[in-house]
Amino acid sequence: MSQIPTATPSLEDVTESIIFPPGDIYSDEPPLESDLHREQIDLLIRLIKWWWRDRQDFYATGNLTIYFSPNQKKSEEFRGPDFFVVLDTVKKDRKSWVVWQEDGKYPNVIIELLSNSTASVDKGLKKQIYQNTFRTPDYFWFDPNNLELQGFHILDGQYQELVPTESGWLWSQQLGLYLAIYLGKLRFFTPDGHLVMLPEEESNQQLEQANQQLQQTNQQLEQERQRAAILAERLRGAGIDPEQIF
């Protein structure tokens, strides 16, 4: 009697059922929407890493998958925030953020960059996941095209919308910094209102300050030269040779 052939399980079916042991799991994020999105993400990462360059207790990245399956499966329950920061963790490079390999830690801060294709998800489903599952204290979204900026902080288990300052700045309790739009980009500002700068911006500012000081010094020297010339002329008018005084 012939046997009825059975279907051979596909690689995808097998992968779906695998519980992944501890180890590296690569990120699985789609390409970014535009150059604006990529540049904004890179900017935020560089800024926070430079601002906290002396700290070793945080992880900041962007467009990287967060795996958070209760079954410890790569194939279920994952999200890829555009930018996120995890506090009280080891500062090192990672291929993804795997919650069950990171002491159950979720991001403390998430920023999503809106686009026509993602705005409804970022404002709806993702917001609910970040509130109810991640319990991420600070959540922001920003649209690089129309510059829409909105932020939330968890209070009693629910996201409460942040009230902006008169200048339109939003406070991140977790970062200890303001978020605000500066020259068309989302930037960080210190509690006393100073722009968090990139290293090259700091160098340019220092160079500009040095040039200003040099200009002031040259102006002072020119004023002294003019005063000396006026005094010498008056001495000559009084019949005194200025060269004979010293």
Side-chain angles (χ1 to χ4, degrees):
M1 182 176 178
S2 61
Q3 295 181 344
I4 299 175
T6 57
T8 302
S10 66
L11 178 60
E12 182 178 357
D13 293 334
V14 173
T15 303
E16 287 290 330
S17 64
I18 293 176
I19 296 178
F20 284 75
D24 289 339
I25 301 178
Y26 283 91
S27 178
D28 187 24
E29 291 307 300
L32 295 171
E33 293 273 338
S34 68
D35 287 342
L36 277 178
H37 289 75
R38 174 180 52 79
E39 291 168 1
Q40 179 65 77
I41 291 172
D42 290 344
L43 176 61
L44 293 173
I45 295 171
R46 291 188 64 205
L47 284 169
I48 203 66
K49 284 185 174 181
W50 179 246
W51 179 246
W52 284 346
R53 57 192 175 275
D54 296 326
R55 293 179 55 170
Q56 300 298 321
D57 62 346
F58 75 97
Y59 178 64
T61 191
N63 197 40
L64 196 82
T65 302
I66 297 175
Y67 295 104
F68 59 100
S69 166
N71 299 315
Q72 298 189 5
K73 290 184 179 180
K74 174 188 175 183
S75 55
E76 62 182 26
E77 302 295 346
F78 58 91
R79 288 289 163 184
D82 290 320
F83 172 82
F84 67 89
V85 177
V86 184
L87 303 177
D88 300 319
T89 190
V90 179
K91 184 181 180 182
K92 65 177 183 179
D93 292 336
R94 293 169 170 85
K95 297 173 182 176
S96 62
W97 184 267
V98 185
V99 170
W100 62 86
Q101 295 176 11
E102 301 284 356
D103 299 324
K105 289 183 178 295
Y106 287 90
N108 294 76
V109 179
I110 289 177
I111 301 175
E112 292 286 6
L113 303 182
L114 304 182
S115 67
N116 291 335
S117 62
T118 66
S120 60
V121 175
D122 292 334
K123 296 180 179 183
L125 177 61
K126 281 190 175 182
K127 182 169 176 253
Q128 291 302 309
I129 291 174
Y130 298 157
Q131 172 187 276
N132 299 332
T133 302
F134 285 24
R135 312 295 295 162
T136 295
D138 290 349
Y139 175 47
F140 301 86
W141 64 59
F142 172 67
D143 191 323
N145 292 298
N146 63 25
L147 306 185
E148 176 186 348
L149 174 62
Q150 197 163 355
F152 304 86
H153 180 75
I154 280 187
L155 184 63
D156 296 330
Q158 300 291 318
Y159 274 139
Q160 304 296 320
E161 185 175 349
L162 294 171
V163 178
T165 67
E166 293 182 358
S167 301
W169 296 11
L170 298 177
W171 176 250
S172 171
Q173 185 183 88
Q174 297 293 298
L175 297 179
L177 296 169
Y178 285 105
L179 278 73
I181 300 166
Y182 176 77
L183 299 179
K185 299 289 186 182
L186 184 61
R187 300 291 297 259
F188 299 118
F189 287 81
T190 65
D192 53 359
H194 294 291
L195 177 70
V196 174
M197 292 185 287
L198 296 169
E200 59 267 29
E201 291 175 328
E202 291 183 359
S203 297
N204 289 338
Q205 184 186 62
Q206 292 170 358
L207 180 60
E208 184 178 347
Q209 290 173 346
N211 288 334
Q212 290 176 350
Q213 292 175 352
L214 180 60
Q215 290 178 0
Q216 291 175 355
T217 300
N218 289 336
Q219 289 175 356
Q220 291 172 352
L221 289 174
E222 178 61 21
Q223 289 173 355
E224 292 298 327
R225 187 195 67 77
Q226 291 177 0
R227 281 196 289 266
I230 293 173
L231 177 60
E233 186 65 27
R234 288 178 178 176
L235 289 172
R236 292 189 186 96
I240 301 173
D241 184 359
E243 300 294 334
Q244 301 298 321
I245 294 178
F246 302 103

